[in-house]
Amino acid sequence: MGSLSSIKVSFALAWNAKVWLVSFWLIASLVVIVMLSAQFSGRQPAAVGLDVGISFIRIYMTVLIAMLSQELLSKEFERRYYLYSLSYPISRDSMLLMRIISIYLITLFVLTLSMIVLASIASVVSLRYEQATPVSLGGHLLIVFSFLAVDLAVISAFSGLLAVVSKTPGFVLIGTLGFAILARSYSSVLTLLGGDRIVVDDPERYQEVLSILSYVLPNLGLLDVRQVSLYSDLSFLPGNVLAVLVGPAIYLVLVILLAVWVFKKRRLN
């Protein structure tokens, strides 16, 4: 009962007018951006619109996660809401876990709506122009959605950790965006440096620095499998799907355990 009450409080704090308004404008922006990108594409409007739409979703879902972490965790300490939350018969561990779960569930809900809107627009565009390689908006897009859901779960956990350790809410936004950018792109940069030796003057030094990131960050770039839907081809899935999913899952658990440990050590006064 205590955990159930805690998650109800989490949703009540998160689903305020600001979150509703931001979610509405993000999805409305998605519609405009996808329609415009499809219109400006001369040969494959559905594929271009779907590609741009997925990129935009990955960006604004990260911003939404950071905002939710600010509302549910950072401002929890700033406004001393934790005094009310801990009045329920729950431990600090349960309170923090319910906050992170609430952040992710709301994120997943907005992600589902966004993907439905994106698929609807791409379907309409496909009717106007028949491509040589039509996009797949069924099971293939569901695979893209599933991998993106794992990606956002890791980011939600890391954002929760930042909210626990930070003293200012603004750091959560900056840190979450920085983490998402690095975790999603460092493997692509390593591949680029390995394939093209003239990109920078000393590619070996850059490769050494970026390789260090593989020990502290998950490779979220592998979870971007949009080509599966863009080209209706499952061969674009990573070779070892299980390993690709297990790595972020382990990182997710470790981050949550670290957040719980830090939260237990934090003085609430």
Side-chain angles (χ1 to χ4, degrees), residues 150 223 240-253:
V150 176
L223 298 177
N240 192 340
V241 176
L242 183 60
V244 170
L245 294 176
V246 168
I250 294 175
Y251 190 88
L252 167 69
V253 173

Side-chain angles (χ1 to χ4, degrees), residues 8-23:
K8 287 181 178 179
V9 171
S10 300
F11 273 101
L13 291 174
W15 275 123
N16 54 37
K18 181 166 66 175
V19 174
W20 275 109
L21 185 61
V22 169
S23 300

Side-chain angles (χ1 to χ4, degrees), residues 62 64 66 75 121 220 235:
T62 304
L64 180 63
K75 294 182 179 179
I121 299 173
L220 299 184
S235 65

Side-chain angles (χ1 to χ4, degrees), residues 221-249:
L222 294 177
L223 298 177
D224 186 0
V225 294
R226 71 183 72 187
Q227 293 89 347
V228 170
S229 179
L230 293 177
Y231 303 108
S232 303
D233 191 350
L234 292 177
S235 65
F236 285 100
L237 284 174
N240 192 340
V241 176
L242 183 60
V244 170
L245 294 176
V246 168

Side-chain angles (χ1 to χ4, degrees), residues 1-9 85 87-91 94 98:
M1 289 298 295
S3 297
L4 181 60
S5 299
S6 178
I7 202 167
K8 287 181 178 179
V9 171
S85 301
S87 64
Y88 290 96
I90 57 172
S91 62
S94 297
M98 290 305 103

Side-chain angles (χ1 to χ4, degrees), residues 46-116:
V48 172
L50 187 62
D51 187 17
V52 172
I54 292 174
S55 296
F56 185 65
I57 288 173
R58 283 164 60 88
I59 294 172
Y60 80 62
M61 291 305 302
T62 304
V63 176
L64 180 63
I65 288 172
M67 191 182 72
L68 289 172
S69 296
Q70 289 175 335
E71 292 292 324
L72 285 178
L73 289 170
S74 295
K75 294 182 179 179
E76 178 94 6
F77 306 118
E78 181 182 347
R79 299 173 181 174
R80 297 181 179 270
Y81 285 153
Y82 61 84
L83 297 175
Y84 174 70
S85 301
L86 292 176
S87 64
Y88 290 96
I90 57 172
S91 62
R92 287 192 181 189
D93 302 359
S94 297
M95 189 191 95
L96 179 61
L97 289 175
M98 290 305 103
R99 290 291 191 271
I100 295 176
I101 290 173
S102 298
I103 291 170
Y104 181 62
L105 289 179
I106 295 172
T107 300
L108 199 59
F109 175 74
V110 178
L111 174 63
T112 302
L113 289 180
S114 301
M115 295 298 284
I116 292 174

